[in-house]
């Protein structure tokens, strides 16, 4: 274990005496011992006695009436224990709830099994439980389901046309689920005054988070105890518990949700999916445990997709390149139903990226199509708009014959501006955006590249360098903000700390462990604040039976909120520990300090008492100071004063073959500020992991639907190209550290940041290399074929521009 002295970090933590800093050090991950030994406990590892297995029949059509369901042959198959039909589900459950509804959208009557009409391929229609997965799947073959296919629409813009088939005619007369607008100032006048306007339509590909562990659930009902235990692969066990209680008409006390190890969440595992409800219903009916493990084919059709959207962006500038106004009117695909976590808002919230824009407007059109629902995915709206505004920044630079780095620097929000409120009400807390940009430009020798000019290299290829500057909103502004948007959770986190007689501290959290190293970071904060050893802290994660009610792990929010709760609880526990120890040592409280595994008198280190002894004193209540109550446990809740904004600039260097469109990413530099860093190795891993997913979405990944059949045509690992380590460019990572003034210790979230810049940086690099050909890329993914098409002057017809809705006046002043 390395413990480094880092006196610059965490100055606000007050007097730490001679103690070693633990925040800011690369402690070995708590999670790795079990994970590297293959000893993790994922949902599929849970195998209760007498467990049965569920399989799900799914609609093969993009849009179809479920005319008739006959389950008799399936139910008669030897080994089949139970079958659920749409009628059963309608009778015993409420519609699925949404954790973060789309503001202004009606609630769609979405049940765990399709009622009357299925609106996407892969939607569950019947579920079967048998004594093995094989038998359950065989039984699916014996189901007699009559579908009447209905006209479908899979293109997000076509779905908004007046002649499009309407997916949910009982609640909507079009496929526009909701339109949300926001903004401030007077963008129309600024556009009228502008010396130059750049605009474009940017198409963002449909991708999926593809966690290594697919979804899964094991449900067990003990009728006498009235206790439903639900093991599930989830980022939000306490929210799953609440939602299942509502959907299954149970009390929350009757449900225990457990998400132990989670093999990746990335936003996909937020909220209840149909299969979670089905497994519970079977388990309750059968009084036996029921397990479902999603296979990869189901995952591609039944788990949420992400990102697909079309953005019409405009930037107005004066002749010096100063941005006067920016607008983003966009249609975002939500698929066939409202997904468990609603639709991306961040494409509106940070539509201006790191640039100082006072006059701006955004409008989001949440659009239903006959495809798998779209949900949250790492970055959730931010990679989408970064691609658009950063492509336009380069186009603006070319129009004005300005250096794109200087243009960016000229427009960035400065540290003097901050806190600065953008047109949608997002308050940028602090940072030095330009420093990251300059560091990235220096790292790739931007000046040298400019000086060298555009001649092909010796190998005949053209070299280009592109930048992407970005902000990432991490955490939420406040519970008040969430309430206004109808979200079913708070902006806070909650933890319980409990000392034990072995001299350790147990930390209980509802934040599940899904690769983000929460156990490690939580332990570091507690050890640091309390003053004990990192090894003395044990984190118990993801079980609603033991942890305080909390929010969960998403929105890059966990450390921002949890570090405050951990600090408060550790301070309470430390204060009582010192009072008890002082009493035992016959010293004054102010004279004792916690160091490692003991409490000692500052001025006389021979007078000390082991922490195990102090804890035992409190736990037994024997030998306590007269005025103290027994017990040594603290629960704390903490809501940060605002969201924190991470920021940075990425730079890509590419070499492009101007004949074929093939290109290589030769260098990729990421300069990033995540504020105060709790564990540098973990932060590097988070940023690199995000970049890997960012490169996938930027370069190779796209879920494609055939317009005629409405079928997903590449829903398998053979056909959907996720890059492996061998396919990824080498990443050169640098950090700056500007502590955030709105969070404990100055932390900023880092979990999603890597997904944001790859698309824009690579596209800008390719367009820089091909500047003499006038190539401007405006769609993801950036494949060699797309570059070749652009070189050949092939442009897809843009269609009608999405213009602002006349009645869609800005909400005005809702803070983010
Ligand atoms: S897309 Mo995330 O888990 O908020």
């Amino acid at each position: 274990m390395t413990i480094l002295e880092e006196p610059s970090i965490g100055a606000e933590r007050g007097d730490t005496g001679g103690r070693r800093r633990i925040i800011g050090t690369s402690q070995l991950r708590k999670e790795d011992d079990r994970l590297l030994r293959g000893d993790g406990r994922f949902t599929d590892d849970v195998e209760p006695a007498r467990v049965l297995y569920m399989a799900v029949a799914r609609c093969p059509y993009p849009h179809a009436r479920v005319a008739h369901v006959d389950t008799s042959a399936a139910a008669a198959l030897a080994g089949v224990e139970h079958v659920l039909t749409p009628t059963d589900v309608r009778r015993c459950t409420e519609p699925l709830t949404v954790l973060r509804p789309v503001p202004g959208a009606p609630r769609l009557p979405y049940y765990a099994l399709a009622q009357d009409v299925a609106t996407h391929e892969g939607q569950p229609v019947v579920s079967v439980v048998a004594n093995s997965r094989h038998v359950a799947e065989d039984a699916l073959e014996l189901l007699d389901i009559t579908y009447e296919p209905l006209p479908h629409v899979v293109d997000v813009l076509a779905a908004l046309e007046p002649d499009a088939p309407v997916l949910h005619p009982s609640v909507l007369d079009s496929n526009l689920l909701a339109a949300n607008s926001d903004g401030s100032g007077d963008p129309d006048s600024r556009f009228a005054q502008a010396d130059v306007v750049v605009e474009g339509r940017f198409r963002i590909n449909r991708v999926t988070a593809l966690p290594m562990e697919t979804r899964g659930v094991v449900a067990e009902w003990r009728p006498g105890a009235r206790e439903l235990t639900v093991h599930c692969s989830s980022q939000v066990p306490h929210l799953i518990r609440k939602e299942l209680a509502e959907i299954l008409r149970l009390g929350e006390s009757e449900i225990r949700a457990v998400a132990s190890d989670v093999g990746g969440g990335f936003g996909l595992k937020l909220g209840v999916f149909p299969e979670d409800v089905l497994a519970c219903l079977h388990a309750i009916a059968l009084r036996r445990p029921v397990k479902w493990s999603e296979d990869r084919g189901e995952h591609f059709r039944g788990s949420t997709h992400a990102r697909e959207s079309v953005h019409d962006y405009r930037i107005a500038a004066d002749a010096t390149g100063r941005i006067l106004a920016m607008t983003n009117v966009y249609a975002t695909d939500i698929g066939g139903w409202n997904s468990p976590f609603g639709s991306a808002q961040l494409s509106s919230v940070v539509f201006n990226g790191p640039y100082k824009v006072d006059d701006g407007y955004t409008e989001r059109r949440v659009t239903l199509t006959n495809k798998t629902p779209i949900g949250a995915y790492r970055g959730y709206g931010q990679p989408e708009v970064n691609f658009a505004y950063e492509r336009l920044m380069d186009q603006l630079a070319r129009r004005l014959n300005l250096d794109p780095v200087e243009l960016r620097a000229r427009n960035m929000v400065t540290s003097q501006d901050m806190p600065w409120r953008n047109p949608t009400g997002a308050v940028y807390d602090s940072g030095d955006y330009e420093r990251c940009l300059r560091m990235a430009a220096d790292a790739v020798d931007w000046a040298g590249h400019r000086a060298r000019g555009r001649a092909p290299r010796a190998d005949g290829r053209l070299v280009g360098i592109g930048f992407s500057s970005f902000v990432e909103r991490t955490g939420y502004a406040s519970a008040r903000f969430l309430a206004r948007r109808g979200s079913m959770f708070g902006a806070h986190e909650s933890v319980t700390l409990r000392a034990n007689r072995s001299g350790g501290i147990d930390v209980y959290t509802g934040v599940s462990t899904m690769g983000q190293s929460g156990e490690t970071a939580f332990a570091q904060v507690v050890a640091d604040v309390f003053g004990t050893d990192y090894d003395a802290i044990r984190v118990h994660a993801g079980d609603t039976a033991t942890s305080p009610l909390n929010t969960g792990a998403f929105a890059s929010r966990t450390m921002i909120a949890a570090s405050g709760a951990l600090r408060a609880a550790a301070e309470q526990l430390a204060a009582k520990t010192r009072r008890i120890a002082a009493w035992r040592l016959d010293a004054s409280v102010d004279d004792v300090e916690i160091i490692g595994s003991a409490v000692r008198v500052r001025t006389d280190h021979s007078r000390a008492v082991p922490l195990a002894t102090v804890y035992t004193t409190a736990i037994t209540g024997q030998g306590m100071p007269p005025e103290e109550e027994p017990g040594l446990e603290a629960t704390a809740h903490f809501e940060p004063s605002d969201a924190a904004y991470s920021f940075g600039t990425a730079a890509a260097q590419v070499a492009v073959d101007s004949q074929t469109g093939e290109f290589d990413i030769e260098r990729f530099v990421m300069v990033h500020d995540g504020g105060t860093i709790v564990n540098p190795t973990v932060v590097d891993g988070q940023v690199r992991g995000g970049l890997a997913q960012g490169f996938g979405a930027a370069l190779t990944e796209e879920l494609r639907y055939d317009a005629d059949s409405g079928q997903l045509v590449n829903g398998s690992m053979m056909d959907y190209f996720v890059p492996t380590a061998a396919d990824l460019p080498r990443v050169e990572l640098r950090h700056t550290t500007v502590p955030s003034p709105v969070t404990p210790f100055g932390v900023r979230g880092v979990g999603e940041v890597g997904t944001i810049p790859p698309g824009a940086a690579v596209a800008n690099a390719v367009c820089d290399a091909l500047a003499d050909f006038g190539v401007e890329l405006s769609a993801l993914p950036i494949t060699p074929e797309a570059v070749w098409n652009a070189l050949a002057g092939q442009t897809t017809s843009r269609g009608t521009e999405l213009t602002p809705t006349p009645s869609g006046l800005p909400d005005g002043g809702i803070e983010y």
Side-chain angles (χ1 to χ4, degrees):
M1 178 171 57
T2 0
I3 299 179
L4 305 170
E5 294 286 344
E6 294 226 358
S8 62
I9 292 176
E12 67 166 281
R13 280 172 299 141
D15 175 25
T16 54
R19 261 167 32 205
R20 297 170 297 183
R21 305 280 179 185
I22 300 178
I23 290 177
T25 63
S26 286
Q27 302 292 321
L28 293 180
R29 294 204 326 148
K30 294 267 182 198
E31 299 86 343
D32 282 342
D33 243 352
R34 64 176 190 274
L35 294 178
L36 295 177
R37 290 168 203 266
D39 236 355
R41 195 173 200 230
F42 298 90
T43 298
D44 194 50
D45 294 317
V46 178
E47 190 81 2
R50 301 181 69 241
V51 69
L52 298 167
Y53 302 87
M54 182 174 88
V56 179
R58 297 169 186 279
C59 180
Y61 298 99
H63 198 191
R65 184 169 303 287
V66 184
H68 181 70
V69 175
D70 181 350
T71 63
S72 51
L77 182 68
V80 169
E81 299 282 347
H82 195 231
V83 179
L84 281 171
T85 65
T87 319
D88 300 328
V89 164
R90 179 72 178 246
R91 187 166 42 79
C92 329
T93 69
E94 298 298 317
L96 268 62
T97 49
V98 178
L99 286 176
R100 219 190 44 158
V102 175
R107 189 163 172 199
L108 301 175
Y110 184 25
Y111 286 84
L113 293 174
Q115 304 292 316
D116 306 329
V117 172
T119 56
H120 70 90
E121 182 203 354
Q123 188 177 343
V125 179
V126 172
S127 61
V128 177
V129 163
N131 57 13
S132 80
R133 173 79 180 237
H134 314 285
V135 172
E137 296 215 351
D138 284 351
L140 298 184
E141 302 291 323
L142 300 174
L143 291 169
D144 184 6
I145 305 173
T146 309
Y147 294 101
E148 292 170 1
L150 297 167
H152 62 264
V153 60
V154 296
D155 180 81
V156 62
L157 294 180
L160 290 172
E161 295 294 330
D163 59 348
V166 174
L167 269 66
H168 298 289
S170 65
V171 284
L172 287 164
D173 53 17
S174 78
N175 294 317
L176 182 64
L177 182 63
N180 308 126
S181 54
D182 210 331
S184 68
D186 186 2
D188 286 347
S189 303
R190 300 286 100 71
F191 275 98
Q193 296 161 354
D195 294 312
V196 53
V197 172
V198 286
E199 59 192 320
R201 165 162 291 182
F202 297 91
R203 291 177 185 270
I204 310 298
N205 43 339
R206 175 175 276 246
V207 297
T208 185
L210 217 74
M212 232 194 295
E213 183 203 24
T214 53
R215 287 187 299 118
V217 56
V218 180
E220 187 169 4
W221 171 245
R222 292 168 61 215
R226 286 196 69 78
E227 184 187 65
L228 179 70
T229 302
V230 184
H231 288 265
C232 53
S233 187
S234 175
Q235 298 172 232
V236 284
H238 275 289
L239 297 174
I240 293 283
R241 178 185 187 227
K242 171 200 179 289
E243 290 192 277
L244 284 176
E246 291 165 344
I247 297 164
L248 297 168
R249 302 175 186 143
L250 292 172
E252 274 196 68
S253 344
E254 294 167 327
I255 300 180
R256 173 185 175 195
V258 188
S260 30
D261 284 316
V262 176
F266 311 119
L268 183 143
K269 293 174 181 171
L270 286 170
V272 162
F273 281 82
E275 297 86 352
D276 304 323
V277 175
L278 296 171
C280 292
L281 287 175
H282 285 297
I284 291 168
L286 290 163
R287 303 182 172 202
R288 284 180 66 177
V290 170
K291 175 191 276 194
W292 174 73
S293 297
E294 186 181 51
D295 71 30
R296 197 53 79 175
E298 291 181 293
H299 182 77
F300 271 107
R301 291 160 184 84
S303 282
T304 42
H305 296 168
R307 306 248 194 273
E308 184 174 3
S309 49
V310 178
H311 300 257
D312 282 347
Y313 247 90
R314 301 178 81 203
I315 297 179
D318 69 17
T320 70
R322 184 37 110 170
I323 297 175
L324 302 175
M326 195 184 291
T327 60
N328 177 23
V329 181
Y330 62 108
T332 181
D333 189 352
I334 196 159
W337 288 100
N338 218 338
S339 71
F341 203 69
S343 171
Q345 289 179 353
L346 289 169
S347 287
S348 292
V349 176
V350 292
F351 77 106
N352 58 303
Y355 304 115
K356 192 165 185 301
V357 174
D358 292 316
D359 300 77
Y361 178 80
T362 72
E363 185 175 328
R364 172 178 78 154
R365 298 188 187 158
V366 183
T367 307
L368 292 149
T369 62
N370 292 111
K371 293 182 292 192
T372 296
I374 277 196
Y377 176 30
R378 204 169 188 174
Y380 207 14
Q382 299 174 104
E384 295 92 316
V385 290
N386 179 260
F387 179 67
Y389 64 71
E390 282 299 79
R391 285 271 40 249
L392 280 183
M393 288 302 278
D394 268 25
Q395 291 176 39
L396 182 60
R398 265 193 276 285
R399 281 276 292 279
L400 293 170
N401 202 22
L402 291 172
D403 179 335
V405 169
E406 299 309 321
L407 176 72
R408 284 180 170 79
R410 192 168 296 173
N411 283 289
M412 280 174 161
V413 183
T414 67
S415 51
Q416 291 78 38
D417 296 325
M418 287 185 268
W420 176 78
R421 193 181 174 98
N422 86 350
T424 64
V427 179
Y428 293 14
D429 58 293
S430 66
D432 189 342
Y433 299 175
E434 185 178 343
R435 177 160 58 136
C436 291
L437 170 67
R438 300 283 179 198
M439 283 170 67
D442 288 347
V444 294
D445 187 23
W446 171 243
H449 172 72
R450 298 267 291 176
R452 275 189 294 277
R454 303 205 170 279
R457 217 162 49 179
D459 63 3
R461 298 198 293 178
L462 294 161
V463 177
I465 290 177
F467 296 90
S468 169
S469 298
F470 56 87
V471 292
E472 187 211 346
R473 203 276 301 273
T474 73
Y476 290 102
S478 64
R480 199 162 49 96
F481 155 71
L482 288 165
R484 285 197 203 165
R485 315 299 285 197
S487 303
M488 294 193 190
F489 49 84
H492 64 286
E493 262 306 315
S494 313
V495 294
T496 295
L497 267 52
R498 192 186 292 157
N500 64 52
R501 280 158 288 196
S502 313
I505 295 175
D506 292 295
V507 179
Y508 296 89
T509 168
V511 171
S512 42
T513 297
M514 54 178 191
Q516 83 282 42
S517 311
E519 293 175 33
T520 299
F522 281 28
Q524 286 187 245
V525 173
V526 173
D528 192 283
V529 172
F530 189 89
T532 190
D533 298 326
Y534 174 68
D535 290 346
I537 313 293
R538 174 70 184 252
V539 179
H540 307 267
D543 185 345
T544 64
T546 57
S547 56
L549 270 165
N550 76 325
T551 299
F554 53 96
S556 295
R557 61 174 298 283
T558 306
M559 279 319 284
I560 283 175
S563 55
L566 290 160
R567 177 173 64 186
E571 281 170 350
Q572 278 180 50
L573 219 60
K576 189 166 179 182
T577 298
R578 289 169 63 222
R579 291 199 301 273
I580 298 167
W583 162 265
R584 292 191 62 112
L585 293 166
D586 198 18
S588 118
V589 177
D590 294 337
D591 291 342
V592 300
E593 61 184 359
I594 302 168
I595 296 271
S597 58
V599 190
R600 70 187 182 193
V601 177
R602 271 183 233 279
T603 50
D604 178 2
H605 293 180
S606 68
R607 289 168 66 201
V609 55
L611 280 172
T613 306
V614 180
Y615 297 167
T616 302
T617 302
I619 291 163
T620 60
Q622 299 171 4
M624 293 283 277
E627 66 281 5
E628 290 287 352
E629 286 178 359
L632 197 51
E633 177 172 326
T635 294
H637 311 271
F638 179 82
E639 180 181 318
S641 63
D642 216 326
Y645 287 78
S646 287
F647 56 90
T649 293
Q653 177 184 310
V654 301
V656 190
D657 183 325
S658 61
Q659 301 292 307
T660 64
E662 283 174 299
F663 63 92
D664 288 314
I665 301 170
E666 300 189 321
R667 290 187 67 190
F668 193 90
V669 175
M670 175 83 166
V671 186
H672 169 252
D673 193 301
T676 301
I677 286 176
V678 176
N679 183 315
T681 304
V682 163
V683 168
D684 281 9
Q686 283 273 38
V687 176
R688 287 176 188 279
L691 285 169
Q693 290 186 303
F695 283 120
L699 302 173
T700 62
E701 296 181 35
E702 179 166 40
L703 289 164
R704 292 188 178 220
Y705 280 78
D706 177 62
D708 291 335
S709 65
Q711 301 287 309
L712 176 62
V713 296
N714 61 342
S716 81
M717 295 302 280
M718 291 287 286
D719 303 307
Y720 181 80
F721 185 28
V722 189
T724 67
D727 302 308
L728 293 168
R730 206 171 70 81
V731 170
E732 300 161 55
L733 195 53
R734 300 175 193 205
H735 298 285
T736 64
T737 303
V738 178
S740 169
V742 299
T743 63
F745 313 109
V747 297
R748 303 177 196 273
V750 297
E752 303 173 275
V753 73
T755 59
I756 297 174
V762 172
N764 284 340
V766 170
C767 295
D768 175 54
L770 300 177
D772 290 342
F773 298 80
V775 164
E776 298 291 359
L777 300 170
S778 56
L780 294 174
I782 312 152
T783 60
E785 184 189 3
V787 176
W788 185 81
N789 281 334
L791 278 163
Q794 309 257 1
T795 46
T796 45
S797 107
R798 260 192 62 182
T800 326
E801 189 171 352
L802 295 168
T803 47
T805 311
S807 60
L809 294 171
D811 290 331
I814 290 186
E815 82 276 29
Y816 282 93

